[in-house]
């Protein structure tokens, strides 16, 4: 089996046989401008002569999670049917919309699935045609669509027919109530479609070119697998795909059945809890980047902290790590040798500038044409056509700040500046790239820091140690917050006093007048590319065992092929009036006059839908379990009152394996 994990910085590959373990592992830099380059480099390094023996290819990724955390994504239009006017102006919705078009129309249903107003399909179509040239996809959310999806289905079919663009419907992503949150989830899904499409198409094309005819699957946020086609339709389900794969892989590699799994990548740190060998799931919806979605996923606590997090000063002149990702200067100079000369020239200049040690570069091509770039954005985009450009040079023509922010929000451009990875190069604990660039950038940082009037370290080594200390402190805080959430369901307290206490508890040394300790009761399994650099240093601070297992750097790729297939179909029975039982199913609403008859019908439909979904995404050896939970209230007169009944069919199986005929041993599942 071939596992692939595409992260913000590295792409990992592992060739896995479950009886013999990892036959080969490899890492390559993720090439965001062309994913094929990085994926091909990692795959080719482990493939050898096994192409004809691969039985399964599975992909995990942090691309969706990173995009949400960093506020990136392709432009999408949100269509709200029957929603209250305020639903379109909620802070989370407007933030996720990122200036994209909003269309609101009459329609919708009530809690019993009854139509509250006719659908104004003509209004929706006119609005959609007006904006179709500026967006990559549509998101549709209708009030109570989980009780009756008719209006969402009608809008979906019209949009596909009229625009040909992908459509994301709220009812197909969650069966839970909460229309605004369902709209948010549909919108995030729509914005992620082009990004995940690029990944899936890249992998499938590459496999074909290498003579691999195995099925291609992707990891969902709950750790289960879906086929490539389903991932293209519902990319939002790959939110926390990386953390889910890391939990599965960490348990497989470490053998720990009860532990905190902390996956530190280039952009984020994702922390999850494994209990009795199973990842803990959040069924009410994953929280990522400040958004509360309705995606079933591993209960992961995600923070914008990674080896590639930008180092910056806050308004009080204090050093802050993240949450935005930057390309480490050591890596940029490794790829573009002229960068080191530019930094050296800035050091020789007698006067410091705010943008010293900062470069801008293209991250990827626009998702569609026309791209909708403004004239200043197009000017900046064209200026970066030949590679990274120092911000100092970009400022010579005009101020690019607003255009740069807009292109960064769309995921088209990224900056390169000092990061924890650069600090590690300065200190000599990481030497994979061009360390001289990091040292020069540290000089520039200190010079500018002193110019701000705040107290700065004395030399680059001291500065790098301070960055390392802040990264360790932030890592410890993230682990403590995850434990606090698990124990009490509460975030860490904020404020200066709370911050001082946390720093005292995780400083790794006693204070002058008092000492404060924090002790985690579970070991921490540290995985991800930077894990070996940072996590062993946390053991004394958190008073627990820190485990960095073999192949920790490619843990996500291991987890990508170690999961199973799980598909779910949900239904609801209600009683809109005496003597009527209404059956709310994913694609139909039907009335019965008997509860058991309705339940039998619902169970049969849901079992069939779950089984079909599992087969469709490539499952084998499928078992289906239907659970039913009735809510019935006992009355004082001895009678009973039916409220509702929830049904869920869960189909579970293993990925169906395929193997090209030929010589070689088939890698077992």
């Amino acid at each position: 089996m071939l596992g692939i994990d595409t992260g913000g910085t590295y792409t990992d590959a592992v060739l896995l046989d479950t009886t013999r373990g990892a036959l080969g592992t490899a890492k390559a830099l993720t090439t965001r401008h062309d994913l094929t380059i990085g994926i091909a480099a990692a795959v080719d390094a482990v493939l050898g002569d096994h192409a004809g023996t691969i039985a399964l290819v599975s992909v995990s990724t942090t691309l969706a999670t990173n995009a949400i955390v960093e506020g990136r994504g392709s432009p999408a239009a949100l269509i709200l049917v029957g929603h209250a006017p305020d639903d379109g102006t909620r802070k989370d919705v407007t933030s996720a919309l990122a200036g994209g078009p909003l269309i609101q129309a009459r329609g919708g249903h009530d809690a019993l699935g009854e139509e509250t107003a006719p659908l104004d399909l003509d209004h929706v179509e006119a609005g959609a045609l007006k904006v179709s040239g500026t967006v990559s996809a549509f998101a549709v959310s209708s009030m109570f669509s989980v009780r009756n999806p008719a209006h969402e289905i009608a809008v979906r079919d019209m949009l596909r027919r009229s625009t040909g663009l992908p459509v994301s419907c709220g009812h197909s992503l969650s069966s839970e109530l909460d229309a605004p949150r369902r709209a948010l989830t549909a919108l995030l899904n729509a914005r992620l479609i082009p990004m995940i499409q690029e990944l899936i198409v890249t992998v499938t094309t590459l496999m074909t070119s290498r003579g691999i005819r195995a099925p291609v699957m992707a990891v969902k946020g709950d750790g289960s697998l879906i086929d490539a086609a389903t991932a293209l339709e519902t990319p939002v389900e790959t939110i926390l795909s990386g953390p889910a794969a890391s939990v599965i892989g960490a348990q497989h590699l470490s053998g720990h059945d009860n532990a905190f799994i902390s996956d530190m990548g280039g952009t984020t740190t994702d922390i999850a809890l494994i209990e009795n060998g199973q990842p803990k799931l959040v069924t009410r919806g994953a929280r990522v980047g400040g958004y509360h979605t309705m995606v079933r996923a591993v209960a992961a606590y995600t923070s914008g902290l990674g080896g590639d997090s930008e180092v910056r000063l806050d308004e009080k002149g204090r050093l802050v790590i993240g949450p935005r990702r930057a390309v480490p200067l050591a890596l940029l100079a490794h790829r573009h040798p002229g960068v080191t000369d530019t930094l050296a020239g800035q050091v020789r200049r007698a006067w410091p500038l705010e943008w010293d040690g900062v470069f801008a570069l293209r991250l990827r091509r626009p998702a569609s044409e026309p791209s909708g770039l403004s004239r200043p954005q197009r000017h900046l985009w064209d200026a970066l056509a030949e590679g990274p450009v120092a911000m100092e040079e970009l400022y010579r023509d005009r101020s690019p700040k607003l255009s740069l922010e807009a292109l960064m929000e769309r995921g088209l451009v990224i900056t390169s500046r000092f990061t924890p990875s650069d600090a590690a190069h300065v200190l000599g604990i990481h030497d994979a790239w061009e360390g001289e660039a990091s040292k020069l950038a540290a000089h520039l940082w200190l010079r500018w820091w002193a110019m701000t009037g705040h107290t700065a370290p004395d030399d680059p080594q001291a500065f790098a140690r301070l960055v390392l200390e802040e990264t360790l402190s932030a890592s410890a805080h993230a682990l403590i917050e995850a434990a606090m959430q698990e124990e009490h369901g509460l975030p860490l307290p904020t404020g200066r006093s709370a911050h001082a206490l946390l720093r005292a508890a995780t400083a790794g040394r006693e204070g002058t007048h008092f000492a404060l300790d924090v002790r985690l009761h579970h070991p921490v399994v540290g995985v991800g590319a930077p894990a070996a650099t940072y996590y062993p240093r946390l053991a004394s601070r958190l008073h627990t065992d820190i485990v960095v297992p073999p192949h920790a750097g490619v843990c996500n790729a291991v987890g990508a092929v170690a999961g199973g297939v799980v598909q779910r179909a949900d239904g609801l029975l209600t009683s809109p009036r005496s003597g009527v039982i209404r059956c709310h199913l994913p694609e139909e609403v039907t009335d019965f006059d008997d509860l058991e008859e309705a339940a039998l019908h619902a169970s049969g439909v849901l079992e069939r839908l779950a089984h079909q979904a599992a087969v469709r995404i490539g499952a084998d050896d499928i078992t289906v379990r239907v659970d039913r939970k009735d809510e019935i209230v006992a009355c004082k007169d001895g009678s009973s009152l039916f409220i509702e009944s929830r049904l869920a069919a869960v189909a579970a199986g293993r990925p169906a394996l395929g193997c090209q005929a030929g010589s070689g041993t088939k890698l077992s599942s």
Side-chain angles (χ1 to χ4, degrees), residues 65-73 95-96 98 191 291 408-411:
T65 305
N66 293 350
I68 293 174
V69 169
E70 297 181 74
R72 296 186 287 105
S95 175
R191 294 195 66 192
Y291 297 113
M408 290 176 69
E409 287 179 1
R410 288 188 58 178

Side-chain angles (χ1 to χ4, degrees), residues 194 222 262 274 383 424 434 668:
D222 62 3
S262 188
I274 188 166
E434 178 51 65
S668 65

Side-chain angles (χ1 to χ4, degrees), residues 421-581:
S421 293
D422 288 300
H425 276 81
V426 173
L427 295 172
I429 57 179
H430 187 30
D431 60 359
W433 306 322
E434 178 51 65
E436 182 62 23
S438 300
K439 295 173 184 176
L440 292 168
H443 278 285
L444 293 169
W445 235 99
L446 291 177
R447 190 166 67 175
W448 173 252
W449 198 349
M451 286 292 295
T452 65
H454 297 99
T455 303
D458 297 329
D459 59 72
Q461 290 275 326
F463 170 59
R465 285 193 294 270
L466 183 57
V467 171
L468 178 63
E469 172 61 32
E470 288 299 319
T471 305
L472 290 172
S473 179
S475 298
H477 290 187
L479 282 160
I480 294 169
E481 181 153 28
M484 186 85 164
Q485 289 278 8
E486 289 294 335
E487 189 82 15
H488 301 292
L490 297 172
L492 286 176
T494 57
R496 293 182 60 188
S497 297
H499 182 73
L501 286 173
L502 280 171
R503 289 193 68 85
T506 60
R509 61 184 183 276
E510 291 192 3
T512 303
H513 302 294
F514 74 98
L516 187 66
D517 288 339
V518 173
R519 300 176 183 273
L520 294 182
H521 290 168
H522 295 301
V524 175
V525 179
V527 297
T533 300
Y534 298 105
Y535 282 96
R537 303 166 188 264
L538 291 176
S540 61
R541 299 173 185 234
L542 298 174
H543 297 87
T544 191
D545 292 333
I546 304 290
V547 179
V548 180
H551 309 302
V554 295
C555 182
N556 291 35
V558 173
V561 289
V565 173
V566 178
Q567 285 293 285
R568 178 185 177 103
D570 294 282
L572 178 72
L573 305 180
T574 63
S575 180
R577 53 189 176 274
S578 180
V580 175
I581 302 297

